[in-house]
């Protein structure tokens, strides 16, 4: 089964790039310098923010649908990143090093299945979830912090 793992589009966050701390605070965001290479997962390019570069921690509505599963949480974005990560039939390295929560949703945006797995072992579960005809998409979250990481869709 073909699938696509897709990062967020940078245009949602471009207004934050280069802004002062006051502006960021008005948008529930703060700027942080990446002090280790694996601790700042960029939700746009789907890779870790390189050590020494800046990330913006912002509150994001990862599930805006009007259902009981609507949700917001903090996510990191690489400040200035404009290239959306898109992976076809491949789990990006960004995910393979993390403990993941996979949440399958139907077209009514209701969770129909959920699993926790090591990122390096996620692909069989992804394929299993996508084989279910009622699965519309899968959200991937960090199992430890609960943060949204990306979406997976059938191709």
């Amino acid at each position: 089964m073909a699938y696509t793992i897709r990062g967020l589009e940078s245009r949602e966050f471009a207004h934050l790039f280069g802004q002062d701390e006051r502006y960021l605070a008005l948008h529930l965001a703060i700027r942080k310098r990446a002090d280790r290479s694996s601790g700042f997962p960029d939700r746009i390019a789907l890779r870790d923010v390189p050590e020494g570069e800046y990330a913006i921690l912002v509150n994001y509505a990862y599930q805006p649908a009007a259902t009981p599963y609507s949700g917001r949480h903090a996510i990191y974005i690489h400040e200035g990143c404009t290239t959306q990560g898109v992976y076809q039939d491949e789990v990006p390295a960004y995910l393979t090093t993390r403990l993941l929560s996979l949440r399958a949703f139907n077209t009514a945006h209701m969770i129909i299945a959920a699993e926790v797995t090591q990122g390096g072992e996620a692909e069989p579960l992804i394929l299993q979830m996508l084989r279910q005809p009622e699965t519309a998409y899968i959200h991937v979250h960090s199992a430890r912090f609960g943060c949204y990481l990306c979406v997976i869709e059938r191709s």
Side-chain angles (χ1 to χ4, degrees):
M1 168 149 311
Y3 65 91
T4 302
I5 297 178
R6 186 179 318 279
L8 301 173
E9 294 189 25
S10 66
R11 70 173 179 259
E12 293 183 62
F13 308 102
H15 70 100
L16 300 172
F17 298 164
Q19 296 295 332
D20 64 26
E21 302 310 312
R22 185 169 175 252
Y23 181 90
L24 293 176
L26 291 172
H27 296 277
L28 304 175
I30 60 173
R31 180 177 289 107
K32 299 191 69 142
R33 179 175 233 147
D35 58 5
R36 59 189 187 281
S37 62
S38 66
F40 296 86
D42 173 35
R43 281 25 175 241
I44 296 170
L46 301 184
R47 61 179 180 232
D48 291 321
V49 175
E51 187 172 349
E53 294 191 23
Y54 287 96
I56 295 176
L57 181 63
V58 62
N59 189 268
Y60 175 72
Y62 62 85
Q63 180 54 287
T67 75
Y69 290 106
S70 68
R72 303 181 66 88
H73 203 290
I75 63 167
Y76 283 107
I77 56 168
H78 188 176
E79 187 165 16
C81 179
T82 58
T83 304
Q84 181 185 33
V86 178
Y87 293 82
Q88 186 66 46
D89 301 326
E90 173 189 7
V91 177
Y94 154 92
L95 296 178
T96 62
T97 61
R98 293 178 163 83
L99 182 63
L100 305 177
S101 170
L102 304 176
R103 303 169 187 180
F105 288 84
N106 63 16
T107 57
H109 309 290
M110 300 294 286
I111 291 178
I112 56 171
E115 296 288 342
V116 174
T117 185
Q118 290 295 330
E121 301 168 6
E123 190 170 47
L125 287 172
I126 291 166
L127 294 172
Q128 177 183 340
M129 288 176 161
L130 291 174
R131 278 189 206 103
Q132 302 305 313
E134 61 273 13
T135 298
Y137 58 92
I138 301 168
H139 276 180
V140 182
H141 290 253
S142 164
R144 288 190 175 94
F145 290 94
C147 306
Y148 170 85
L149 293 171
C150 60
V151 67
I152 303 171
E153 303 164 316
R154 283 188 192 89
S155 298

